[in-house]
Amino acid sequence: IISLLSIKIIHSIAKGLSPLFYYFYKPGVKQVMSNLSLATKMKLSLKQKKILCKQSFENLIIILLEYFKLSQFKSNIEKIIVCENPKKLDDLIKTYGSVVFACGHQSNWELPFLYITKRYPTIAVGTPVNNPLLYKWILSIRQMFKGEVIVPKGAVKKCVQALSQGKSAALVFDQAYPDSTYSYPLLGCRAWTTLGPAVISYRSKKPLIMISTQRRHNRYYCKFHDPIFP
């Protein structure tokens, strides 16, 4: 049923459901409010924190519901995601053969991988969900172009091998406390994050390319940034 709806309607449904998550998903609310409280430089009032909390749930619901639509964009993925500098992507691949792509959990972080793999073979690192049937369905969407998803175990070695064979690698940054040894000041507190993308870039001698993504008017806009060499 969801797959029959337009993206605009799906986003409206998510906006209507987000207050329910806020009032009934107490563990999630506690985590979001705690993170916002740690971001002291934002100087948020309690009212502002509640608004941002609801918006974060709205974003999560949008991503979950959009899964049911993504397979419909197999022949025209550009209808949902627009690249602001496509020549940059082509030039990066032409210059370096393969690169390490990385992005944060911004808007819908699944879409840049689909945009890239429509054009170039790329592997991504993803943690499987516990339900094998559900994960098989998720993989069918993530791998509908020239993409391959591998598990985190042994991922660094597999990514380096793939990069040497002309395939790019893609990873999504995540918080990694207390597992990571690396932290950086973020909005007034120390933020720990994964070292994976930098390690893969360093070992493969391939540049790290950051991708930023925004949701605007029911579409997604991605941008590829200048190469970083560790």
Side-chain angles (χ1 to χ4, degrees):
I1 294 172
I2 295 170
S3 67
L4 300 175
L5 304 176
S6 68
I7 292 292
K8 185 177 181 179
I9 292 175
I10 285 175
H11 290 186
S12 298
I13 291 172
K15 192 169 185 176
L17 289 176
S18 60
L20 295 177
F21 271 64
Y22 178 80
Y23 289 112
F24 294 105
Y25 184 36
K26 296 302 180 183
V29 172
K30 184 178 180 180
Q31 183 177 9
V32 174
M33 295 295 280
S34 175
N35 285 338
L36 290 172
S37 297
L38 289 171
T40 54
K41 280 192 176 181
M42 294 179 74
K43 297 180 180 178
L44 299 171
S45 66
L46 180 59
K47 183 179 179 180
Q48 289 173 318
K49 290 176 187 176
K50 289 180 178 179
I51 292 172
L52 284 172
C53 185
K54 291 175 184 177
Q55 288 175 339
S56 70
F57 287 133
E58 180 184 337
N59 186 61
L60 176 61
I61 298 167
I62 285 173
I63 293 164
L64 293 174
L65 296 182
E66 280 182 343
Y67 265 110
F68 296 97
K69 291 289 292 183
L70 293 181
S71 60
Q72 296 181 6
F73 293 101
K74 187 169 184 177
S75 61
N76 52 359
I77 195 69
E78 292 81 6
K79 276 195 172 183
I80 189 170
I81 182 166
V82 178
C83 180
E84 295 184 336
N85 54 350
K87 188 177 182 299
K88 181 95 170 182
L89 172 61
D90 295 333
D91 289 344
L92 287 167
I93 299 299
K94 185 178 180 180
T95 302
Y96 303 107
S98 57
V99 299
V100 182
F101 294 107
C103 69
H105 282 97
Q106 298 173 315
S107 58
N108 190 333
W109 52 88
E110 299 283 356
L111 287 169
F113 182 67
L114 294 180
Y115 182 88
I116 294 165
T117 56
K118 181 78 182 286
R119 291 152 181 76
Y120 302 104
T122 306
I123 66 171
V125 182
T127 302
V129 299
N130 292 329
N131 186 318
L133 291 176
L134 176 60
Y135 189 57
K136 184 179 180 181
W137 175 68
I138 292 172
L139 284 181
S140 71
I141 296 168
R142 290 177 172 174
Q143 299 180 153
M144 64 183 179
F145 297 125
K146 301 174 185 176
E148 178 188 356
V149 179
I150 62 173
V151 297
K153 187 175 182 180
V156 171
K157 183 178 180 181
K158 291 176 183 176
C159 284
V160 172
Q161 288 175 342
L163 286 158
S164 67
Q165 296 166 0
K167 295 181 181 179
S168 293
L171 302 96
V172 179
F173 277 107
D174 208 344
Q175 58 184 349
Y177 179 79
D179 302 322
S180 178
T181 56
Y182 175 77
S183 67
Y184 192 82
L186 176 67
L187 301 174
C189 66
R190 293 179 70 191
W192 279 262
T193 189
T194 175
L195 293 169
V199 171
I200 293 169
S201 177
Y202 178 77
R203 292 187 182 179
S204 65
K205 296 181 174 59
K206 296 287 185 176
L208 181 65
I209 310 298
M210 294 300 300
I211 309 170
S212 54
T213 315
Q214 278 189 326
R215 183 189 296 116
R216 300 199 299 265
H217 308 298
N218 301 314
R219 297 180 82 185
Y220 294 87
Y221 294 80
C222 72
K223 183 177 181 180
F224 297 92
H225 294 270
D226 293 335
I228 301 168
F229 285 93

